[in-house]
């Protein structure tokens, strides 16, 4: 995990229960973004690189009951998902991953489970592992720009960032959707981190054009200005 003091944050990860499965809605459809001013520095966050996830309504007893049910019914796909859901709500990402893997073993082709194994690993700070699951998901649905944008972020947040790989993924998204706001925002950050003032400035201008009220613009402008020595 990089210890640099650039403000990297992730927004839009809200728990949405659709059909009893939190992952299908919010975690799949809300791509992560870097550079928002609304959350603290990376070093202040737990787990690192992610703001607090809103807590769920599950009580301790409910959580334990769901876990017991999943353990007692290892062939029950929905039980594994419910246990994963509740673990995620209390930010026990290792538990969410454990039960998502059990669900994956029962339904290896379930696309949402694959994506959310990427998401849970990302939110738990295991970016290389998240990359593997996102790549698997993209092999099934290469057109999913939100997943590809999240894949790009795994290269920014890991301990040894690979900004070139991140940039490649964000540019791939923008080739398909030039107005993809998250990719534009993340790409601006990646160029800034790479000290590429020219491309950071150009990408920021595109973001300003397509999303002029974006809350991250002030911070991104400040970072690009510093990069340019202004």
């Amino acid at each position: 995990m990089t210890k640099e003091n650039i403000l990297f944050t992730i927004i839009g990860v809200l728990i949405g229960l659709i059909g009893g499965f939190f992952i299908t809605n919010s975690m799949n459809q809300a791509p992560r973004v870097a550079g928002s001013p609304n959350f603290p520095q990376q070093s202040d966050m737990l787990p690192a690189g992610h703001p607090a996830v809103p807590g769920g309504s599950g009580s301790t007893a409910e959580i334990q009951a769901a876990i017991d049910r999943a353990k007692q019914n290892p062939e029950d796909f929905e039980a594994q998902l419910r246990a994963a859901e509740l673990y995620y709500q209390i930010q026990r990402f290792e538990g969410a991953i454990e039960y998502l893997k059990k669900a994956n073993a029962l339904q290896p082709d379930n696309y949402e489970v694959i994506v959310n194994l990427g998401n849970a690993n990302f939110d738990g700070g295991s970016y290389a592992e998240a990359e593997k699951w996102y790549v698997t998901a993209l092999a099934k649905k290469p057109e999913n720009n939100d997943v590809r944008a999240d894949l790009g972020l795994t290269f920014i947040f890991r301990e040894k960032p690979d900004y070139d790989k991140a940039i490649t993924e964000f540019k791939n998204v923008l080739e398909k959707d030039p107005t993809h706001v998250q990719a534009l925002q993340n790409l601006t950050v990646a160029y800034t981190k790479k000290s590429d003032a020219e491309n950071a400035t150009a990408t920021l201008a595109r973001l300003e054009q397509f999303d002029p009220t974006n809350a991250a613009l002030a911070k991104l402008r400040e970072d690009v200005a510093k990069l340019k020595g202004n």
Side-chain angles (χ1 to χ4, degrees):
M1 181 78 186
T2 176
K3 298 298 184 184
E4 297 166 275
N5 290 323
I6 291 294
L7 182 64
F8 282 117
T9 58
I10 305 161
I11 63 175
V13 181
L14 301 175
I15 303 302
L17 298 178
I18 291 184
F21 187 23
F22 76 113
I23 299 170
T24 303
N25 180 37
S26 61
M27 293 180 68
N28 282 349
Q29 298 179 12
R32 294 144 176 78
V33 291
S36 168
N38 297 324
F39 295 104
Q41 296 283 342
Q42 277 183 308
S43 58
D44 297 332
M45 291 186 276
L46 182 64
H50 198 290
V53 176
S57 59
S59 65
T60 301
E62 181 184 0
I63 293 169
Q64 188 59 55
I67 293 169
D68 289 344
R69 179 187 172 196
K71 289 181 177 179
Q72 294 164 10
N73 300 276
E75 301 302 313
D76 187 333
F77 179 77
E78 295 297 331
Q80 310 312 309
L81 294 187
R82 180 59 178 165
E85 171 193 344
L86 292 173
Y87 266 126
Y88 192 91
Q89 288 182 358
I90 62 172
Q91 299 186 45
R92 290 283 301 277
F93 300 114
E94 72 284 358
I97 292 166
E98 176 186 353
Y99 285 97
L100 283 168
K101 284 185 174 180
K102 292 178 185 295
N104 176 252
L106 293 172
Q107 294 188 16
D109 293 325
N110 188 297
Y111 180 75
E112 284 73 23
V113 171
I114 292 170
V115 170
N116 288 293
L117 274 162
N119 292 339
N121 276 284
F122 188 108
D123 295 337
S126 299
Y127 304 112
E129 186 67 17
E131 174 196 353
K132 295 176 184 178
W133 289 105
Y134 288 146
V135 168
T136 300
L138 287 166
K140 292 179 174 293
K141 294 186 179 182
E143 73 283 359
N144 192 325
N145 285 332
D146 291 345
V147 171
R148 192 170 298 280
D150 286 348
L151 171 62
L153 271 183
T154 68
F155 299 114
I156 288 181
F157 279 99
R158 63 188 63 195
E159 185 175 356
K160 294 182 179 179
D162 190 331
Y163 300 119
D164 288 331
K165 285 186 177 181
I167 288 167
T168 295
E169 296 301 337
F170 299 143
K171 290 174 72 174
N172 284 339
V173 171
L174 293 167
E175 285 178 4
K176 299 175 183 177
D177 180 4
T179 66
H180 195 283
V181 170
Q182 290 80 15
L184 285 169
Q185 186 169 328
N186 295 339
L187 182 59
T188 302
V189 172
Y191 278 134
T192 301
K193 292 290 292 178
K194 196 182 174 185
S195 299
D196 186 338
E198 181 179 356
N199 280 311
T201 301
T203 308
L204 177 58
R206 292 172 62 189
L207 178 62
E208 291 171 327
Q209 175 186 356
F210 293 122
D211 191 13
T213 62
N214 190 303
L217 286 175
K219 175 60 178 172
L220 293 173
R221 290 175 184 135
E222 178 184 339
D223 290 341
V224 172
K226 289 179 180 178
L227 184 61
K228 296 165 68 175
N230 296 337

